[in-house]
Amino acid sequence: MSDERRRSARDLLLRLRRKAQYTLYRQRWNVAITPFSAAAVAGLEGAAVQRAALDALDWMPERGDAFVADPFVTRDPHRPEALLIFYELFPWQRAQGLIGAARYNDGQFGEGRIVLDTGHHLSYPFVLGEGETLRVMPEHSAARDLSSYAVAADATLTDPRPVEREHRLIDATIVEWEGRHWLFCTHAGPTENSELHAYHAAGPAGPWTPHRANPIRRDRGGARPAGAFIVNGGKLFRPAQDCRAHYGAGIVVHAVERLTADDYRETVVSEIRPPAGSRYDYGLHTISSVGTHTVIDGARMESLIHPRLDRWGRYLRA
């Protein structure tokens, strides 16, 4: 068989696997919290510590009508004894993301509720600031909008303020580093999983100046943001989604070696993969922390026919 025929056969097999996967199965995402720092979960403190952190995951109870993903955690500014977790809530029937929130206190998840519904798809509720300055910046590219919201006492998101409205930004992630604010993202469209863009500004509201080397990375295995930057040992680390096998298969952690308006360099230093034997063994694509607690998400393949067929979904990975 010629190389061209072999490639054609592989492409056909891949298409058939994808068709079978998404006809018979869907991705069921869920959110978990662990009493370890982001550095520990990210493997920056060694493999043994990372295993312990992932073994201690406490998963949110599943909802029958929706999945939850893209978690970001902060201290609750209105109830200091609790943590507040924001996430994407995706109702199956509506097939459009909303922003939900739930408190976590004394090892228990509180009841989740919808805190933002704009009529357009929402996800990735990135947390900015803390305490009285706390704001949440969801991904809202379907409306060509990136705005931050204040957090009311009931966790409802109010008082939108524009951050960037020139581009359709995917998973925008802001970090303050060496006196400058940096916004990392991808752009909606065919390169949203493969081309990383950066912008910089004097403050988190902009105006934003594009990095001179944009896109600063082209790589399905490490471009799209996967949660908040991690600062450890005085160094900056960037989590990114590994989309090589499929969307959100895992997280690749990069050490940022140089970040200026003209230059960007990073090196892969670790990975976060679904724990062996986990119920959520299909994917993992967001990490966020506050203090000694970290949240992540995880996915499993769920049969649309019968729960007993769930475990076979992993063999249809495409």
Side-chain angles (χ1 to χ4, degrees):
M1 182 182 292
S2 69
D3 289 344
E4 183 176 352
R5 287 187 175 182
R6 277 195 290 268
R7 282 195 296 270
S8 296
R10 285 197 299 268
D11 289 344
L12 176 61
L13 178 60
L14 181 60
R15 289 197 297 272
L16 291 174
R17 288 173 62 188
R18 283 177 174 163
K19 184 175 177 60
Q21 182 184 73
Y22 294 112
T23 300
L24 303 174
Y25 291 86
R26 64 186 177 192
Q27 293 183 19
R28 161 74 74 172
W29 288 87
N30 200 9
V31 167
I33 189 166
T34 183
F36 286 80
S37 70
V41 176
L44 302 179
E45 298 179 0
V49 175
Q50 184 184 48
R51 283 195 299 272
L54 295 175
D55 286 344
L57 289 171
D58 183 12
W59 291 95
M60 186 180 290
E62 286 189 2
R63 295 178 53 139
D65 63 338
F67 74 60
V68 296
D70 288 354
F72 286 86
V73 63
T74 184
R75 293 183 181 86
D76 191 331
H78 303 286
R79 292 177 53 180
E81 75 281 4
L83 299 179
L84 188 56
I85 304 171
F86 294 95
Y87 49 83
E88 176 192 351
L89 173 68
F90 190 89
W92 300 119
Q93 189 170 15
R94 181 167 170 176
Q96 185 180 77
L98 313 170
I99 301 302
R103 289 184 168 91
Y104 186 81
N105 191 24
D106 290 334
Q108 297 291 324
F109 287 99
E111 184 175 356
R113 63 187 305 269
I114 297 170
V115 296
L116 183 64
D117 180 358
T118 65
H120 296 276
H121 179 77
L122 292 157
S123 62
Y124 201 82
F126 182 80
V127 169
L128 281 165
E130 60 182 14
E132 294 182 357
T133 66
L134 176 65
R135 297 186 70 85
V136 174
M137 186 180 71
E139 192 263 287
H140 200 200
S141 65
R144 204 181 188 91
D145 168 61
L146 183 65
S147 297
S148 69
Y149 294 77
V151 180
D154 63 355
T156 299
L157 300 183
T158 64
D159 181 32
R161 298 179 185 176
V163 175
E164 209 278 354
R165 288 181 175 171
E166 185 176 347
H167 303 93
R168 294 179 60 204
L169 304 186
I170 299 292
D171 296 349
T173 303
I174 293 177
V175 63
E176 183 179 4
W177 190 248
E178 296 182 343
R180 195 79 175 154
H181 283 76
W182 299 87
L183 187 155
F184 287 71
C185 63
T186 62
H187 289 179
T191 63
E192 63 187 36
N193 291 334
S194 59
E195 290 190 358
L196 177 66
H197 292 254
Y199 299 83
H200 57 95
W208 297 96
T209 301
H211 195 283
R212 290 179 183 172
N214 274 344
I216 59 173
R217 185 183 181 104
R218 291 184 172 93
D219 179 9
R220 289 183 62 85
R224 184 167 174 163
F229 278 75
I230 301 167
V231 178
N232 186 52
K235 296 181 179 180
L236 189 64
F237 297 86
R238 186 182 72 88
Q241 294 190 38
D242 181 358
C243 296
R244 288 171 295 185
H246 58 82
Y247 166 73
I251 293 176
V252 178
V253 182
H254 305 83
V256 177
E257 298 173 342
R258 184 166 174 79
L259 176 55
T260 70
D262 303 306
D263 194 13
Y264 181 73
R265 302 175 200 166
E266 63 182 13
T267 302
V268 174
V269 292
S270 64
E271 296 183 352
I272 314 172
R273 299 291 177 182
S278 169
R279 175 174 173 81
Y280 303 97
D281 63 354
Y282 187 76
L284 187 166
H285 69 2
T286 311
I287 180 171
S288 166
S289 70
V290 61
T292 57
H293 282 77
T294 299
V295 291
I296 64 169
D297 53 11
R300 63 182 176 84
M301 295 304 291
E302 180 178 67
S303 171
L304 297 174
I305 300 173
H306 194 280
R308 289 185 179 178
L309 300 176
D310 285 359
R311 65 192 182 94
W312 297 105
R314 73 188 66 181
Y315 300 112
L316 293 174
R317 294 185 185 197

